[in-house]
Amino acid sequence: MFVGSQTRIHQLAINMACGDVIAYPTEAVWGLGCDPFNGDAVAKILRLKKRAVKKGVILIAGNIQQLAFLLHDLPAEQLATLRVSWPGPYTWLVPHNDRVPFFVRGNFDTVAVRVTNHPTVQALCNAFGGPIVSTSANPQGLPPATTALKARSYFGTKIGYCPGVVGKNKTPSQIKHLLTGDIIRPA
């Protein structure tokens, strides 16, 4: 990371804890993030994207321990499946057992979770102290931003921006249902 990036990431984590929305680079596209337990912040993301709350959003974490509150009672075989795929560009639908708010999970009995291998996002989640919301940085119906410049063209000064660039993946993460194995979104 660039000199000063750590300081900026730390400040953005504080801003998220205070209810701000930020854009940040992920493995393939820019994402929008916030504190997943702050309903006003998640509502702002949904308004910016023109996305229905019933669709839910992804939680992205810097390490698997940050998702322990959702994963601790999974069978060993399912937990092993997650551990083998993470960190990496794999998003899994796991049972939420009412441990996340409706505005995160949407109309589902599962919540989408991922442990990133992108160093900037790892640093951001670690500075925040837990998982953050991760949804593509674009209004619904428009292509996801792959550069900070494109994210800024969509959202201007309404949000904060994390330093960094997207990873080398060409497509957003695969989404797979942990219990059924069904692929919801291919890689």
Side-chain angles (χ1 to χ4, degrees), residues 14-65:
I14 292 169
N15 293 356
M16 282 192 300
C18 293
D20 287 355
V21 171
I22 67 163
Y24 56 90
T26 70
E27 293 89 347
V29 299
W30 276 71
L32 293 178
C34 68
D35 178 347
F37 295 98
N38 183 320
D40 291 337
V42 175
K44 181 176 180 179
I45 285 179
L46 297 176
R47 280 193 310 275
L48 288 167
K49 286 184 60 78
K50 299 177 177 79
R51 180 181 174 92
V53 68
K54 68 181 181 180
K55 291 184 174 185
V57 292
I58 295 172
L59 296 180
I60 194 168
N63 58 64
I64 197 167
Q65 291 79 19

Side-chain angles (χ1 to χ4, degrees), residues 86-101:
W86 289 337
Y90 302 97
T91 299
W92 291 92
L93 299 179
V94 301
H96 59 69
N97 298 311
D98 293 323
R99 295 181 187 135
V100 294

Side-chain angles (χ1 to χ4, degrees), residues 8-169:
R8 179 70 178 140
I9 287 169
H10 181 73
Q11 183 59 54
L12 289 167
I14 292 169
N15 293 356
M16 282 192 300
C18 293
D20 287 355
V21 171
I22 67 163
Y24 56 90
T26 70
E27 293 89 347
V29 299
W30 276 71
L32 293 178
C34 68
D35 178 347
F37 295 98
N38 183 320
D40 291 337
V42 175
K44 181 176 180 179
I45 285 179
L46 297 176
R47 280 193 310 275
L48 288 167
K49 286 184 60 78
K50 299 177 177 79
R51 180 181 174 92
V53 68
K54 68 181 181 180
K55 291 184 174 185
V57 292
I58 295 172
L59 296 180
I60 194 168
N63 58 64
I64 197 167
Q65 291 79 19
Q66 292 176 350
L67 296 171
F69 73 102
L70 287 167
L71 309 178
H72 73 274
D73 54 0
L74 288 176
E77 181 179 302
Q78 291 173 356
L79 195 52
T81 298
L82 297 176
R83 287 183 192 279
V84 168
S85 71
W86 289 337
Y90 302 97
T91 299
W92 291 92
L93 299 179
V94 301
H96 59 69
N97 298 311
D98 293 323
R99 295 181 187 135
V100 294
F102 170 75
F103 50 80
V104 169
R105 67 181 188 248
N107 285 346
F108 304 100
D109 58 359
T110 57
V111 62
V113 294
R114 178 167 85 249
V115 175
T116 183
N117 62 4
H118 192 288
T120 301
V121 187
Q122 286 177 330
L124 188 59
C125 292
N126 291 338
F128 181 71
I132 62 173
V133 166
S134 186
T135 184
S136 59
N138 60 295
Q140 190 165 323
L142 295 177
T146 55
T147 65
L149 184 61
K150 187 64 174 177
R152 285 181 192 276
S153 77
Y154 286 148
F155 306 113
T157 59
K158 297 174 186 166
I159 62 173
Y161 295 87
C162 190
V165 296
V166 298
K168 295 180 182 182
N169 293 23

